[in-house]
Amino acid sequence: MVFCGAGLSAESGIPTFRAASDHALWSRYDPEELASIEGFTRNPDRVRGWYAWRRGLVAEAMPNDAHHALAGWHEALLVTQNVDDLQERAGAPDERILHLHGSIVHDRCHDGCGWVGPVESEAGGGRSECPRCGGVARPAVVWFGETLPQAVWTRACRACSETDLLLVVGTSGVVQPAAMLVEMAADGGAYVVNVNPEPTPLDALADASIHAPAAGVLPALLPD
Ligand code: NAD
Ligand code: ZN
């Protein structure tokens, strides 16, 4: 199985959070303030504006060679922290992808009626009102302080403890549950390979670390 983070999409031009905060437009804001329930409650329009900008980046981006290599590894379950749809657009079927942090290309009801729908507006600002119950609509992502979708989390944990090989790609390992999933796999006896240009705490759990960008490494590492 594969566990990925924002670094997988970095070479497609989608910044990780740290890089995103250098962007002039948003440099005054902390992503944890924008990607949190408190930030949304305080200023929903500002949060929607930030998501409109991020949705624009995702819409313009193309899957890179790492997404294509992962899509071609047909046996692998892809557990991702990414909210973009580049892995789907690289051709990996939905049933092989678990989005731990939801999807930026969808909105959902914030008031709990269960409505989820694709973002339709050209600008990507998304809906402010739920079309089903009239409540508040919001990006269908998991924010800081929110719990992960239970069914997805349960499947990811089971897969991690059962797999004999875990490929970790582009995640810093400082945000939970990243470290926990890698630990589960290592404890279950999996061989763990970590791909990241920078050293991370996950190197200590890995049997092999490859310090290089994902798009260069994955096509050579995985079966065609
Ligand atoms: P993160 O904590 O997963 O860190 C990104 C990691 O990617 C870093 O360790 C960095 O060294 C590595 N990296 C950078 N370029 C790489 C490359 N070319 N190949 C391989 N690795 C590379 O991610 P974050 O940016 O701190 O974000 C935290 C959370 O924010 C994520 O879990 C995610 O849910 C969300 N996020 C998602 C996206 C997306 O969907 N594309 C983008 C930004 C943030
Ligand atoms: Zn609703």
Side-chain angles (χ1 to χ4, degrees):
M1 74 169 265
V2 180
F3 180 55
C4 14
L8 171 65
S9 297
E11 289 165 273
S12 294
I14 301 179
T16 61
F17 273 171
R18 186 185 297 176
S21 65
D22 292 338
H23 192 278
L25 187 58
W26 297 106
S27 58
R28 286 168 294 151
Y29 302 117
D30 175 0
E32 297 209 19
E33 166 70 17
L34 291 161
S36 72
I37 208 140
E38 295 80 12
F40 181 69
T41 308
R42 265 195 287 279
N43 194 337
D45 287 341
R46 190 173 72 191
V47 171
R48 289 195 186 99
W50 187 61
Y51 277 92
W53 171 67
R54 291 185 62 201
R55 284 166 166 165
L57 293 178
V58 170
E60 284 166 19
M62 298 294 285
N64 65 49
D65 288 349
H67 295 107
H68 286 297
L70 293 175
W73 190 16
H74 301 290
E75 297 83 11
L77 178 71
L78 309 174
V79 177
T80 184
Q81 298 166 91
N82 292 349
V83 294
D84 66 56
D85 60 351
L86 295 181
Q87 195 59 73
E88 284 86 346
R89 281 158 52 196
D94 287 351
E95 59 273 17
R96 275 185 49 215
I97 307 174
L98 295 184
H99 279 279
L100 287 180
H101 294 169
S103 162
I104 200 169
V105 298
H106 291 79
D107 277 321
R108 72 170 172 85
C109 181
H110 187 55
D111 287 337
C113 83
W115 175 81
V116 183
V119 176
E120 280 154 5
S121 82
E122 277 285 296
R127 290 174 186 265
S128 52
E129 195 179 298
C130 171
R132 185 185 289 168
C133 76
V136 176
R138 55 168 278 184
V141 299
V142 177
W143 283 328
F144 292 102
E146 293 188 306
T147 51
L148 303 185
Q150 190 58 48
V152 173
W153 174 242
T154 305
R155 259 190 87 190
C157 289
R158 192 177 326 121
C160 271
S161 43
E162 288 174 357
T163 191
D164 53 5
L165 173 62
L166 175 69
L167 175 60
V168 183
V169 182
T171 185
S172 60
V174 296
V175 180
Q176 289 293 356
M180 209 192 293
L181 285 177
V182 179
E183 237 172 79
M184 266 180 226
D187 287 351
Y191 189 84
V192 178
V193 180
N194 186 30
V195 177
N196 194 317
E198 305 292 332
T200 73
L202 297 178
D203 290 329
L205 294 168
D207 295 287
S209 288
I210 303 174
H211 291 143
V217 169
L218 265 50
L221 207 60
L222 299 178
D224 279 334

